[in-house]
Amino acid sequence: MTQVLVLVLALAIGVVAGLRAMTAPAVVAWGAMLGWIDVADKWSEWMAHPITATVLTIFLVGELITDQLPKTPSRKVPPQFIARLISGGFAGAVIGSAFFHTFSATGAGMIGAVLGTMAGAALRAGLADRNHGKDRPGAFIEDVIAVGGGFLVAFLVSLVP
């Protein structure tokens, strides 16, 4: 049962990475630093360091800002898509490491990143169509879902037996 819960949470953090690539590793670092994700004495222990959380948070904020710019490329172009796969897989691996399921959680995180990338693009395009081409409201909604959902996933890891 634990492995299934870990895979679901890794999949969910992958969805977050599909929405915002840097959000997933940042919230996982915060989760580790706050003790929600037990990375003590594991390969991922460095994620709990305050410097790691700070640097990843700076990247997250930078991404939230650059995403609002009109020249930001689509999340579905290869470099953006690959970044989301790597980010989702990595964040999933960190969650999995807390339960010694690193490899399966990596795969779940990558699958979640694909789902989040495609669903996020469709959601945002649909919202822009309904707002007469205005993309910013959809972007802000997506930011809230990604950051809030990411912290929720990180917290839920602490509840897995």
Side-chain angles (χ1 to χ4, degrees), residues 67-121:
D67 184 64
Q68 304 297 322
L69 303 175
K71 294 192 184 236
T72 301
S74 166
R75 72 187 80 210
K76 297 190 286 185
V77 299
Q80 297 284 338
F81 196 85
I82 291 167
R84 291 164 197 279
L85 287 174
I86 292 168
S87 174
F90 174 73
V94 173
I95 288 173
S97 73
F99 303 93
F100 303 101
H101 295 298
T102 298
F103 294 110
S104 57
T106 301
M110 292 177 83
I111 291 167
V114 171
L115 297 173
T117 299
M118 303 314 281

Side-chain angles (χ1 to χ4, degrees), residues 132-143:
H132 310 291
K134 293 178 187 168
D135 184 55
R136 190 155 286 162
F140 285 131
I141 290 169
E142 193 175 8
D143 290 344

Side-chain angles (χ1 to χ4, degrees), residues 8-157:
V8 167
L9 292 170
L11 181 82
I13 204 68
V15 170
V16 169
L19 298 176
R20 295 286 179 272
M22 294 311 305
T23 300
V27 298
V28 166
W30 276 96
M33 191 174 74
L34 294 170
W36 297 343
I37 302 171
D38 179 16
V39 293
D41 299 323
K42 299 176 180 83
W43 67 266
S44 55
E45 184 172 32
W46 61 277
M47 288 293 285
H49 197 282
I51 292 175
T52 305
T54 300
V55 169
L56 290 173
T57 300
I58 292 167
F59 290 159
L60 179 155
V61 170
E63 182 181 34
L64 294 178
I65 292 167
T66 59
D67 184 64
Q68 304 297 322
L69 303 175
K71 294 192 184 236
T72 301
S74 166
R75 72 187 80 210
K76 297 190 286 185
V77 299
Q80 297 284 338
F81 196 85
I82 291 167
R84 291 164 197 279
L85 287 174
I86 292 168
S87 174
F90 174 73
V94 173
I95 288 173
S97 73
F99 303 93
F100 303 101
H101 295 298
T102 298
F103 294 110
S104 57
T106 301
M110 292 177 83
I111 291 167
V114 171
L115 297 173
T117 299
M118 303 314 281
L123 171 71
R124 189 136 158 209
L127 288 172
D129 286 345
R130 283 187 217 106
N131 285 310
H132 310 291
K134 293 178 187 168
D135 184 55
R136 190 155 286 162
F140 285 131
I141 290 169
E142 193 175 8
D143 290 344
V144 170
I145 292 170
V147 175
F151 274 103
L152 177 62
V153 170
F155 173 72
L156 289 175
V157 172

